[in-house]
Amino acid sequence: MQQDRLWNEWHPVCKAEELLEDPKQVFVLGERVVIFRNEKGVHAFKDLCIHRGAALSLGKVKNGNLVCAYHAWEYDCTGACEKIPALPSGRAIPSKARATVYHCEEYLGLIWVNLGEDPAPLVSFPEYSMEGYRTAICGPYEVKANAPRIIENFLDVSHLMFVHEGLLGDEDHAEVVDYKVEFVDNRLITSKIPVYQPNPDGRSKGGYADYVYEILNPTTARFTKTTEGSDDELTILLAVNQEDHEQAKAFMLLTRNYDLDMPDEPFIEFQDTIFYQDLDIVQSQKPELLPLDLQAELHLKSDALTIAYRKWLNELGVENGTNPIQDEARKKVLVQ
Ligand code: FES
Ligand code: CO
């Protein structure tokens, strides 16, 4: 069961607004997946027609069914083939004429896919629907790296003063105070970590901000940033989809309870700047797979959160951030 951890997790594949009347091809853990929308909601199949292996994503949605572009077999949203035009009338549709169906949900303004038979719960992000909060969706950011490296970078406090100098940190305030990491309600959570911010979120209000980080599952993490003496609260949820062994896509949800009348664009642009400052670093990291052997890299106390993350991945059986190896197709995914 633990070995199936990533396979049973939810992976964000696109913004909900991008999935309109046409089906769309996406990749999850090396699987080619087609997602489509009909009046019943959103659906995901393996992107493969059982007849002659064409990608179903080349087809179209007609009367709620996904129709293959090649010979127009029609699949309903349960994956059953309802119509085969070449079949003489009166002849039964073979029962094996089915698409492989995956779990698919529209949630938090994104489309999420789960390949597993025993899906984990969707991540909880209450701020998204809380009154007085507003969410902007950033990304998707294309990253040539593995999801755990991307998550770790997001959780890394001591780079803020260097990679994001002048925006999220100040070289002269580089020390990181000791903080606690606890496992509560199925997630890792830190105590408040103060970080001096010369220009937090592009708002030019220098001072200390407190970060509380949470790791919700192997590929989803968040932090909430607050400032003493202010009610302003910014939460960022990072959800990463490992598309295949070398490519990932990251989405960020920025939820704020201030400047609600302001458009989202400046916040998104600021986040884009921050993300692209990190990109070269993350793509340069070797080994590509996060070393879960704690002897493999050198750790400081300030790395307590990323150490806890590595230990957790290890316990979950997400070996080296890899996917469970159950068949040849999966073996190609995320394996050195
Ligand atoms: Fe899809 Fe023939 S390959 S209908
Ligand atoms: Co960064």
Side-chain angles (χ1 to χ4, degrees):
M1 167 80 78
Q2 282 193 335
Q3 289 297 316
D4 272 342
R5 185 69 197 213
L6 280 191
W7 214 253
N8 284 299
E9 288 294 352
W10 290 92
H11 306 277
V13 293
C14 73
K15 290 184 194 167
E17 65 189 29
E18 283 173 49
L19 186 59
L20 301 170
E21 60 270 21
D22 286 327
K24 189 174 165 63
Q25 183 179 67
V26 296
F27 290 86
V28 180
L29 300 173
E31 278 289 298
R32 194 172 76 170
V33 175
V34 54
I35 52 173
F36 67 99
R37 184 188 286 283
N38 66 10
E39 69 286 350
K40 290 190 182 139
V42 293
H43 313 278
F45 295 167
K46 191 183 185 80
D47 192 10
L48 186 85
C49 181
I50 191 152
H51 178 219
R52 286 293 177 266
L56 290 169
S57 54
L58 296 173
K60 59 180 184 222
V61 180
K62 196 179 97 188
N63 302 326
N65 288 348
L66 183 57
V67 186
C68 181
Y70 203 178
H71 313 97
W73 289 24
E74 277 186 33
Y75 298 90
D76 70 16
C77 58
T78 71
C81 185
E82 267 196 346
K83 188 174 170 188
I84 298 182
L87 210 58
S89 63
R91 218 168 292 169
I93 291 173
S95 59
K96 281 191 180 155
R98 291 191 65 85
T100 302
V101 181
Y102 299 127
H103 304 277
C104 188
E105 293 286 344
E106 182 169 349
Y107 177 58
L108 307 176
L110 300 172
I111 306 293
W112 302 73
V113 169
N114 190 313
L115 305 174
E117 281 160 20
D118 185 18
L122 283 154
V123 290
S124 151
F125 189 56
E127 289 84 349
Y128 183 81
S129 41
M130 257 152 71
E131 215 182 311
Y133 288 72
R134 174 171 175 160
T135 298
I137 301 180
C138 303
Y141 303 107
E142 310 270 347
V143 192
K144 292 217 170 307
N146 273 277
R149 285 285 192 196
I150 303 167
I151 293 289
E152 260 213 10
N153 169 68
F154 178 79
L155 302 171
D156 185 291
V157 184
S158 57
H159 84 290
L160 296 175
M161 309 76 182
F162 303 99
V163 177
H164 311 301
E165 222 290 299
L167 295 174
L168 297 181
D170 181 342
E171 281 183 9
D172 295 330
H173 295 81
E175 284 178 22
V176 178
V177 299
D178 290 348
Y179 57 90
K180 278 206 214 86
V181 185
E182 286 179 297
F183 191 74
V184 190
D185 296 336
N186 272 322
R187 77 211 198 283
L188 286 162
I189 180 165
T190 66
S191 54
K192 283 182 179 174
I193 309 174
V195 179
Y196 183 81
Q197 311 240 293
N199 187 10
D201 321 318
R203 300 167 77 205
S204 313
K205 270 203 243 166
Y208 277 89
D210 290 315
Y211 282 72
V212 172
Y213 290 89
E214 293 168 63
I215 311 175
L216 306 182
N217 69 35
T219 55
T220 316
R222 54 173 279 167
F223 68 69
T224 299
K225 191 154 74 170
T226 51
T227 314
E228 224 178 273
S230 159
D231 292 332
D232 289 3
E233 199 179 294
L234 173 77
T235 300
I236 300 188
L237 181 88
L238 167 68
V240 183
N241 173 27
Q242 188 71 54
E243 295 188 306
D244 60 29
H245 65 288
E246 55 183 19
Q247 180 74 38
K249 215 171 241 178
F251 295 85
M252 281 194 186
L253 267 58
L254 258 65
T255 300
R256 64 184 193 270
N257 69 350
Y258 52 84
D259 293 345
L260 298 178
D261 303 334
M262 267 186 53
D264 290 334
E265 283 69 29
F267 294 93
I268 295 173
E269 278 164 27
F270 184 83
Q271 201 52 40
D272 289 351
T273 304
I274 299 296
F275 198 90
Y276 290 115
Q277 286 179 332
D278 284 317
L279 191 64
D280 283 349
I281 304 268
V282 173
Q283 294 188 152
S284 80
Q285 285 179 288
K286 301 275 181 198
E288 288 85 348
L289 300 178
L290 198 64
L292 300 190
D293 172 2
L294 292 182
Q295 308 304 321
E297 290 182 333
L298 195 60
H299 310 282
L300 296 178
K301 206 152 185 207
S302 51
D303 298 317
L305 178 57
T306 51
I307 295 168
Y309 176 52
R310 291 178 187 206
K311 282 188 183 158
W312 194 33
L313 287 182
N314 216 356
E315 279 166 28
L316 292 173
V318 184
E319 282 173 42
N320 292 325
T322 62
N323 202 44
I325 300 163
Q326 289 194 337
D327 59 37
E328 283 306 305
R330 293 188 191 188
K331 226 178 251 181
K332 285 189 207 120
V333 180
L334 306 177
V335 179
Q336 280 171 322

